[in-house]
Amino acid sequence: MITTMPPEESGRSSYLPRKRHLENPSEEQSKRSRLYQNANVIPHGWLDCPRFGHEIGPIIPSKVPLSESYNDHLPPDKRYTFRQLLTNNKRNKLGLVIDLTNTTRYYNPSTDLRREGIEYVKIRCSGRDSVPDNVSVNTFVHEVNQFERRNFSKKSVLVHCTHGHNRTGFMVVHYLMRSSPLMSVTQALKTFYDARPPGIYKSDYIDALYSFYHETKPESAVCPPTPEWKRSEENESLSLPLSSPCVPLVIKRMSNDDVLGDEIPYGQEKCYQEFCYEMMNIKIEGRSSSLQFPGSHPVSLDREGFQLLRRRYYYATWKADGTRYMMLLTREGCYLIDRKFRFRRVQMRFPCKPHETKVNDYTLLDGEMVVDNFLDGQGKPRQARRYLVYDMVAVNGVPVSDRPFSERWSVIDREVIRPRNDEKKVTKGYRYEMEPFGVRIKAFCLLSSVEKKVFNELIPSLSHDSDGIILQGWDEPYVYQRNQALLKWKFLDTIDFLFEVGRDGRYLLFLYENGRNKLMEGHTVEFRGDGWEEPGRYSGKLLECFWDKEDKVWVPMRVRVDKSQPNGMGTFRGVMKSINDGITKEVLLKEIKEIVRLPMYVERIRVDTLAAERRRHGNRRG
Ligand SMILES: Nc1nc2c(ncn2[C@@H]2O[C@H](COP(=O)(O)OP(=O)(O)OP(=O)(O)O)[C@@H](O)[C@H]2O)c(=O)[nH]1
């Protein structure tokens, strides 16, 4: 007996393209729901849907092969099983099957595939009217890439959803976009269309692809009509609600704590983590599963720090107060790396040089994500998220961490910022303004201009918060984690404590030492001001606190959601030393005034000023 299937997979379904005349729709509905409970139902439209398409790289797009238990329900010429596929497909043996259906009933991967030595990956995608989510897309692309890396005998990857058009096409287009950077969505859709006509035939899937890759959909781009084999049965199916109910559009204000990007598979994250360590020449000791965020971290400026400023040549910049991320640019995508050393994929574009078809590949940057608040031309308040790049660890797979900072900074400009800005001027289809954030290089000023430039001009004119200044050694290498030569001076010295309410109701503060949290006996916390009325709510959270010298208490300023550990004792000692040394802004500026009069500074500032003037002239002429 041939039966129809429930709308679990394709939305609407039936096997025979028969027109039914419904006298009583509810009676018809209940008849159908009885049929839907049947096991060997043939997916709607499946029967006349072509079996598979041409290869696209290693991928064969296909409709779902049905297990042999379906054969009794199918005319012999319509059967399509893995056994058939493996026997007929001698030329190109299968190595991997990626199943995008949302059910397990079409075949048994253990008997049909694994026994034959074929790998099987299931990525459940519900289909219907929603496109596969971003995390599933990341998983799909990762699985194909991983397979290609270990696929020495050039086997193929069969990718199927129910019919091998919409979900399959969607994933294949993502794969193409990520393996051929700077390919356009239109080209990728055409590649899929050529291999498996009529390609993707759901317009919302096509729109989602253009929107994901920040491209304008050309007016000439038309969505192919639903194929005949699918349409004939569609007409007689029950009407199901197609679109989700209207959700009122809420424009959310941006904050530094927003989670950006999409999760990536664990294996991919591990590889990238190890790459970061390799680029910084850090040995992985013990389990590589617990790698720590390796980003360079400044220490608080104290009296000893002044000695360092005298001996080595420093520049200064404002300390942007947003969220710290390192950023890895690869041809497959761009990844934000947070303080917990987790990677999330964001859709961004980083071309190498104008008009080249290459993008940055394995370039590792360091910077701060900020939210700029400003008024637009009409005086309306606006927000823009920006990533301020302030350092670089690797460029196109080549480590630069041991190069002097001045060199790393010019490489950021030459290899990352300028090519992007140049391409922005010429690109037609790609819409940089649709990216989740802008990208800028951070400006560094001569130490002699700290007061005038950094404190009096830059900081007051910023559209984001700044909590101090950074003193950056101009000749220094990039140093992993705590960097004694990278100095920070803050308007308010702060420490991130873990706060707990003890069993006796006591407020407890903890710091991190030797792999565990250490109770800071004798340290008192005092919650002050609006929003801090119920301290119990913050138990178990990391609180950034400033030190009130008068009352000798720690006062919470904000909850740190971007970190998983309180500050270490080293940081704490550094901050306390800086507080006790009493380095106020006045003390800092007085000291710097003396430092820049030292012969070494006088000479280097002269040379750098001349070089900057020459560059400005050159730019004007160019
Ligand atoms: N190196 C550097 N760091 C900057 C710059 N601008 C902002 N920062 C940020 O300053 C942070 C270090 O200052 P802290 O105040 O110690 O940062 P924090 O985020 O509170 O981190 P903890 O010390 O762990 O509490 C870095 O992690 C960067 O995120 C810059 O130009 N250079």
Side-chain angles (χ1 to χ4, degrees):
M1 192 190 89
I2 292 168
T3 57
T4 57
M5 70 167 268
E8 174 191 346
E9 270 291 303
S10 52
R12 286 143 288 177
S13 61
S14 76
Y15 162 53
L16 282 176
R18 279 177 289 135
K19 265 253 179 267
R20 289 178 194 203
H21 298 283
L22 307 184
E23 269 163 25
N24 177 350
S26 61
E27 190 188 311
E28 179 63 19
Q29 238 158 354
S30 61
K31 237 190 254 169
R32 269 172 183 257
S33 60
R34 279 198 300 277
L35 285 172
Y36 291 163
Q37 283 149 22
N38 229 313
N40 284 335
V41 286
I42 310 299
H44 160 84
W46 183 92
L47 204 64
D48 293 319
C49 169
R51 290 185 168 95
F52 52 83
H54 298 296
E55 281 167 50
I56 305 165
I59 295 176
I60 303 173
S62 168
K63 69 177 177 182
V64 58
L66 298 178
S67 77
E68 296 193 339
S69 64
Y70 282 79
N71 283 357
D72 291 349
H73 309 288
L74 289 166
D77 63 327
K78 298 285 180 186
R79 291 174 190 163
Y80 179 45
T81 62
F82 274 112
R83 179 175 297 188
Q84 260 178 346
L85 199 66
L86 293 177
T87 330
N88 299 341
N89 189 17
K90 286 190 197 86
R91 192 172 43 88
N92 213 342
K93 285 270 222 151
L94 277 191
L96 169 68
V97 169
I98 302 186
D99 171 2
L100 304 174
T101 64
N102 197 22
T103 174
T104 52
R105 65 193 156 120
Y106 294 136
Y107 58 87
N108 180 347
S110 303
T111 51
D112 294 2
L113 296 171
R114 291 196 183 112
R115 209 178 275 168
E116 303 291 333
I118 296 165
E119 295 176 47
Y120 171 80
V121 170
K122 174 116 197 141
I123 305 172
R124 280 182 179 271
C125 301
S126 66
R128 303 225 202 164
D129 298 299
S130 60
V131 297
D133 62 60
N134 296 346
V135 177
S136 302
V137 172
N138 290 347
T139 308
F140 176 84
V141 177
H142 176 65
E143 290 295 344
V144 179
N145 285 337
Q146 284 300 100
F147 178 76
E148 277 191 286
R149 265 169 217 148
R150 58 176 186 266
N151 178 22
F152 303 114
S153 45
K154 297 275 167 254
K155 291 191 174 180
S156 302
V157 183
L158 184 120
V159 180
H160 75 78
C161 47
T162 310
H163 303 96
H165 281 271
N166 292 311
R167 279 169 288 179
T168 297
F170 190 80
M171 292 299 201
V172 170
V173 168
H174 272 288
Y175 164 80
L176 288 170
M177 292 298 290
R178 294 175 192 199
S179 38
S180 317
L182 304 186
M183 178 182 251
S184 71
V185 172
T186 308
Q187 286 163 337
L189 283 167
K190 166 95 170 47
T191 305
F192 183 68
Y193 169 94
D194 290 343
R196 183 143 175 85
I200 297 179
Y201 56 82
K202 279 187 178 172
S203 62
D204 46 346
Y205 276 49
I206 293 175
D207 292 347
L209 284 164
Y210 278 105
S211 146
F212 186 93
Y213 288 100
H214 313 313
E215 285 185 28
T216 314
K217 185 171 148 191
E219 279 180 18
S220 55
V222 278
C223 179
T226 306
E228 186 54 38
W229 45 259
K230 185 80 189 286
R231 224 172 355 170
S232 51
E233 293 172 31
E234 223 159 55
N235 298 339
E236 56 97 56
S237 65
L238 291 173
S239 63
L240 292 163
L242 276 180
S243 51
S244 47
C246 247
V247 181
L249 189 68
V250 180
I251 299 173
K252 215 179 135 247
R253 277 189 67 76
M254 292 177 191
S255 99
N256 285 326
D257 295 333
D258 293 339
V259 178
L260 306 176
D262 305 303
E263 257 176 58
I264 62 167
Y266 176 77
Q268 188 181 7
E269 187 170 75
K270 277 267 80 51
C271 289
Y272 289 158
Q273 288 181 341
E274 286 167 14
F275 169 77
C276 295
Y277 269 50
E278 194 189 317
M279 290 299 108
M280 291 183 217
N281 211 2
I282 315 168
K283 272 223 180 80
I284 299 175
E285 280 155 15
R287 285 181 309 135
S288 76
S289 58
S290 55
L291 296 182
Q292 302 278 313
F293 179 72
S296 191
H297 204 89
V299 297
S300 298
L301 178 70
D302 56 18
R303 297 269 165 194
E304 275 167 39
F306 285 142
Q307 296 312 315
L308 211 59
L309 282 179
R310 284 169 188 276
R311 285 200 308 273
R312 303 187 195 173
Y313 185 55
Y314 274 82
Y315 266 59
T317 183
W318 75 99
K319 186 170 176 304
D321 194 10
T323 310
R324 167 79 175 275
Y325 290 104
M326 295 184 85
M327 185 155 72
L328 177 65
L329 319 178
T330 74
R331 49 186 288 138
E332 288 139 30
C334 165
Y335 303 88
L336 287 178
I337 311 167
D338 68 17
R339 292 284 296 269
K340 297 169 189 163
F341 211 19
R342 301 305 310 268
F343 288 61
R344 293 178 78 89
R345 188 181 187 284
V346 277
Q347 185 53 38
M348 301 285 293
R349 174 135 141 176
F350 287 93
C352 265
K353 294 265 165 57
H355 316 304
E356 270 190 19
T357 49
K358 271 177 31 203
V359 294
N360 267 273
D361 197 17
Y362 284 90
T363 291
L364 183 57
L365 303 171
D366 201 353
E368 188 88 357
M369 188 74 74
V370 295
V371 176
D372 274 332
N373 290 284
F374 55 96
L375 299 177
D376 66 10
Q378 277 102 50
K380 285 204 189 111
R382 293 267 181 243
Q383 289 194 299
R385 211 184 288 281
R386 290 185 179 123
Y387 184 67
L388 308 178
V389 188
Y390 55 68
D391 216 327
M392 175 182 253
V393 176
V395 59
N396 292 311
V398 179
V400 290
S401 46
D402 56 351
R403 307 304 306 152
F405 177 79
S406 54
E407 204 179 304
R408 301 199 299 276
W409 192 72
S410 49
V411 178
I412 299 171
D413 191 41
R414 196 179 64 230
E415 299 293 330
V416 180
I417 304 293
R418 273 202 223 174
R420 226 176 105 87
N421 291 345
D422 289 347
E423 210 226 18
K424 263 186 206 172
K425 291 179 202 145
V426 294
T427 187
K428 296 228 163 54
Y430 187 77
R431 296 168 66 192
Y432 277 96
E433 74 279 10
M434 300 295 288
E435 291 186 342
F437 50 85
V439 181
R440 291 181 176 179
I441 187 166
K442 212 152 171 247
F444 286 80
C445 305
L446 292 167
L447 203 59
S448 50
S449 57
V450 164
E451 180 167 14
K452 185 165 175 286
K453 260 240 133 88
V454 183
F455 278 114
N456 296 347
E457 283 177 24
L458 270 171
I459 295 182
S461 65
L462 293 172
S463 315
H464 55 264
D465 293 334
S466 166
D467 56 348
I469 65 165
I470 293 282
L471 298 160
Q472 171 71 57
W474 209 232
D475 310 319
E476 302 299 317
Y478 187 94
V479 173
Y480 154 72
Q481 294 191 338
R482 236 169 112 75
N483 180 356
Q484 299 292 348
L486 178 62
L487 305 169
K488 64 179 176 189
W489 176 89
K490 290 167 90 166
F491 295 106
L492 257 186
D493 277 303
T494 61
I495 283 287
D496 301 326
F497 288 101
L498 168 68
F499 169 70
E500 299 267 1
V501 180
R503 276 205 210 108
D504 52 0
R506 247 185 356 131
Y507 295 166
L508 309 172
L509 294 176
F510 294 86
L511 290 178
Y512 195 70
E513 189 175 49
N514 298 331
R516 59 188 189 86
N517 293 328
K518 173 189 161 82
L519 177 64
M520 298 300 287
E521 289 288 4
H523 285 261
T524 317
V525 57
E526 191 174 294
F527 290 81
R528 291 180 187 162
D530 292 346
W532 295 102
E533 290 86 0
E534 292 171 64
R537 274 178 43 201
Y538 302 103
S539 189
K541 302 224 155 99
L542 293 186
L543 301 183
E544 181 174 1
C545 303
F546 72 88
W547 177 240
D548 181 329
K549 267 194 223 157
E550 308 282 302
D551 296 346
K552 302 219 170 346
V553 290
W554 290 101
V555 184
M557 294 163 62
R558 67 165 170 151
V559 180
R560 297 289 304 246
V561 289
D562 57 326
K563 291 178 62 181
S564 48
Q565 263 172 20
N567 277 140
M569 286 303 289
T571 304
F572 173 75
R573 280 186 212 107
V575 170
M576 288 320 284
K577 187 146 187 304
S578 160
I579 293 172
N580 293 333
D581 284 356
I583 302 173
T584 59
K585 187 174 158 193
E586 289 65 39
V587 172
L588 171 75
L589 292 177
K590 186 168 164 281
E591 198 76 25
I592 286 178
K593 253 188 201 140
E594 281 175 22
I595 291 171
V596 296
R597 284 200 207 108
L598 295 170
M600 180 268 280
Y601 267 92
V602 173
E603 177 54 16
R604 290 199 63 175
I605 289 172
R606 190 186 66 80
V607 171
D608 285 2
T609 311
L610 268 176
E613 262 165 31
R614 259 188 237 120
R615 267 198 310 274
R616 259 198 303 277
H617 263 62
N619 285 348
R620 247 181 259 141
R621 264 193 248 119

